[in-house]
Amino acid sequence: AAVPCVWQGAPAFACAVPASMVRLQRRDYFRAHVPLARNLRCAVRVGDAQDARTTRAIDLRILDVSVTGVALADAPPGFAPAPGTRFGGARLTLQSGALDVDLEVMYCREAPRAGSAPAPLRIGCRFVGLPPRGQALIRLCINALERERRGRT
């Protein structure tokens, strides 16, 4: 129970630190973290879309996912797409199935990392024109990730 007290000269309440806490996301759409063991992937094609001989697929790890977009990592050296870059026909490989989507890069920045190892890139992308079937597949993936997370805690 909270008890009245004075903190820095002003009235306040004091209470014991709880044994556990619930963290709520303050966003329109829930974003689920993808555990490293899940290994969900996203393959994007880069190069001249008009010339198949010059295109190549870049395989990236999905860090988190929502119905509005994904955060990606494990980019090869030299791959740092600028905000606004579009990847048409990117392939998401989720536990709920594979899904082809169009992505737009919103940011590309170094992710914080402890120690002296080079900082990996984190690439945040939004879905462009994701159809209802795609949204449903992503919701299934998010629900499965959350059930798995709750089972571990």
Side-chain angles (χ1 to χ4, degrees), residues 25-46:
Q25 293 190 27
R26 297 189 67 133
R27 55 178 69 235
D28 290 337
Y29 296 97
F30 186 80
R31 182 167 298 276
H33 170 74
V34 178
L36 194 55
R38 273 280 139 233
N39 197 31
L40 303 187
R41 310 301 291 182
C42 176
V44 298
R45 299 211 55 84
V46 296

Side-chain angles (χ1 to χ4, degrees), residues 128-150:
V128 178
L130 185 65
R133 179 194 163 283
Q135 291 178 16
L137 202 59
I138 289 171
R139 282 192 182 98
L140 284 173
C141 174
I142 291 169
N143 289 340
L145 289 168
E146 275 304 292
R147 278 193 307 275
E148 184 179 307
R149 184 189 66 79
R150 284 190 201 117

Side-chain angles (χ1 to χ4, degrees), residues 79-138:
F79 180 72
T85 301
R86 291 225 177 172
F87 298 112
R91 168 136 307 195
L92 301 180
T93 305
L94 310 170
Q95 67 231 38
S96 52
L99 176 64
D100 291 330
V101 297
D102 293 338
L103 298 174
E104 180 181 358
V105 175
M106 302 306 290
Y107 66 85
C108 182
R109 63 176 172 246
E110 290 182 348
R113 171 173 256 168
S116 61
L121 284 181
R122 182 180 175 99
I123 304 165
C125 300
R126 74 175 184 93
F127 295 121
V128 178
L130 185 65
R133 179 194 163 283
Q135 291 178 16
L137 202 59
I138 289 171

